[in-house]
Amino acid sequence: MKEKIGCCCYDNQTIFLDQAIKQLNLNADQKQLLLQSFREVSVQIPLKVEHGDKEIIRTFTGYRVQHNHARGPFKGGLRFHPNVQIDEIRALAQLMTWKTALVDIPFGGAKGGISVDPSTLSQQELETLTRRFVQKMEPVLGVNEDIPAPDVNTNPQVMAWIFDEYSKTNGNVPGIVTGKPLELGGLKGRLEATGYGVAYITSLALEQMNMALKGAKIVIQGFGNVGSYAALRLQAMGAHIVGISDKDGGLFHPQGIDIVAAAKFAQETGGLKGFFGGEKISNEKLLALPCDVLIPAALEGTINCDTEEKVQAQLIVEAANMPITHMADEKLRKRGIIIIPDILANAGGVIASYFEWVQNIQRFDWERNVVQTRMEEHLARAYEKTSSLAKQADVDLRTAAYQVSVSRVLRAIELRGF
Ligand code: GLU
């Protein structure tokens, strides 16, 4: 069967969920309850933009999907990307429900986005677009309702605009959004949290596989916030990052790329284009590099039936959300490749978001080492729970992780009685 990629995130998600549902012996009504979104909002945002020497009006579509809030307020990021559409946001919102449940933080799941290529807008246009999105979504957001955060192509500055716009009509509510700049109630360590969490989970998985992290060869696809901090941390822990890439292509160095220099370069220039720390390779070749660990940290569906065959790693750690299609997932597992699922691998970010939210509600300031230690404690508990269930039930790690999450969400639904 030929695989459809890009437009079928929700189908992928449903298939992954199905595997856990079978293990748990749930009926069709329970499955329906778990699949459906609580609320899906879409808004049209007209914006005057510069076009050559004149101004034109373009209209952008924005979404917020709130999947489930049985365990706490809806929580999840906001992405700015031309591929954003309802099917993708719906799947990612559901993923957040399972992620927050797996790492046992008191949130549900949501996701939002605007279908836009932010590199085509000026900073002023981007700010206006963000503020209009907040104006239109304001009725469904709230510190105890739904709390956005950064995701693909959004950053602390975008979160600061969200906080400011929301606060115009609701008073000073820093907990309305997480991933803010430190000066506005942001959390020390939030920016690095997802990448550092990926590095920590990689170390736990390698240890269980009796493989040393020191000297391990690691390839990372994607050098944004998540990929770059994961690379920095893993290199500091002694691994050799032999391949990295961003949207303009990849770099390979058999002895390891100087990640500190690459991260500095990317921060100053906005990407890796023009960085000469290794041999230039295509993104496709990058996935095929010989290595111990492959970390997809870009967009969904990059490891699919066209690319899966070439993967040589023994361990894949899903730093991005949904980077492996379900068909590729099955083939990789048959080849004995261990996959640490996204809801575990990249959960460091939302755990740190939880700490930021708590800090904001308490009007208190947590120290960086406290954040790091507590985040690792949450991740270690979730890793242990997932891997022991996988062994006991003789299932893969994704199915085990979903089993843990789905049971927790169902239990909350039953207790609340709706
Ligand atoms: N966007 C991140 C994720 O997919 C973080 C979400 C959050 O902190 O709410 O997990």
Side-chain angles (χ1 to χ4, degrees), residues 141-191:
L141 301 179
V143 68
N144 293 313
E145 298 295 330
D146 184 351
I147 306 126
D151 200 81
V152 176
N153 292 336
T154 54
N155 56 25
Q157 178 59 73
V158 175
M159 300 306 116
W161 294 327
I162 296 176
F163 159 60
D164 184 68
E165 195 58 37
Y166 186 83
S167 293
K168 281 180 185 165
T169 42
N170 294 279
N172 185 299
V173 196
I176 179 59
V177 63
T178 57
K180 296 177 294 296
L182 293 182
E183 299 85 340
L184 295 177
L187 180 85
K188 297 183 187 103
R190 172 64 186 87
L191 197 62

Side-chain angles (χ1 to χ4, degrees), residues 162-283:
I162 296 176
F163 159 60
D164 184 68
E165 195 58 37
Y166 186 83
S167 293
K168 281 180 185 165
T169 42
N170 294 279
N172 185 299
V173 196
I176 179 59
V177 63
T178 57
K180 296 177 294 296
L182 293 182
E183 299 85 340
L184 295 177
L187 180 85
K188 297 183 187 103
R190 172 64 186 87
L191 197 62
E192 310 88 291
T194 314
Y196 281 13
V198 167
Y200 179 65
I201 286 285
T202 305
S203 73
L204 295 183
L206 285 175
E207 195 183 314
Q208 202 175 27
M209 292 165 75
N210 286 321
M211 287 168 68
L213 175 61
K214 213 167 157 37
K217 286 187 166 34
I218 299 185
V219 169
I220 302 182
Q221 183 202 35
F223 208 68
N225 177 263
V226 181
S228 61
Y229 279 112
L232 282 166
R233 187 67 158 192
L234 286 162
Q235 187 160 76
M237 289 161 105
H240 298 311
I241 314 300
V242 295
I244 55 173
S245 73
D246 68 6
K247 61 179 184 350
D248 297 315
L251 282 176
F252 167 61
H253 194 306
Q255 265 80 54
I257 295 159
D258 180 347
I259 297 297
V260 175
K264 191 164 173 277
F265 184 90
Q267 189 146 43
E268 284 165 8
T269 66
L272 291 169
K273 199 173 186 174
F275 179 69
F276 297 109
E279 182 194 328
K280 272 176 112 181
I281 52 169
S282 66
N283 244 312

Side-chain angles (χ1 to χ4, degrees), residues 7-25:
C7 58
C8 51
C9 297
Y10 194 69
D11 297 347
N12 257 306
Q13 191 55 33
T14 310
I15 291 166
F16 287 145
L17 185 69
D18 263 342
Q19 287 159 2
I21 284 177
K22 262 189 222 127
Q23 288 289 321
L24 292 166
N25 279 325

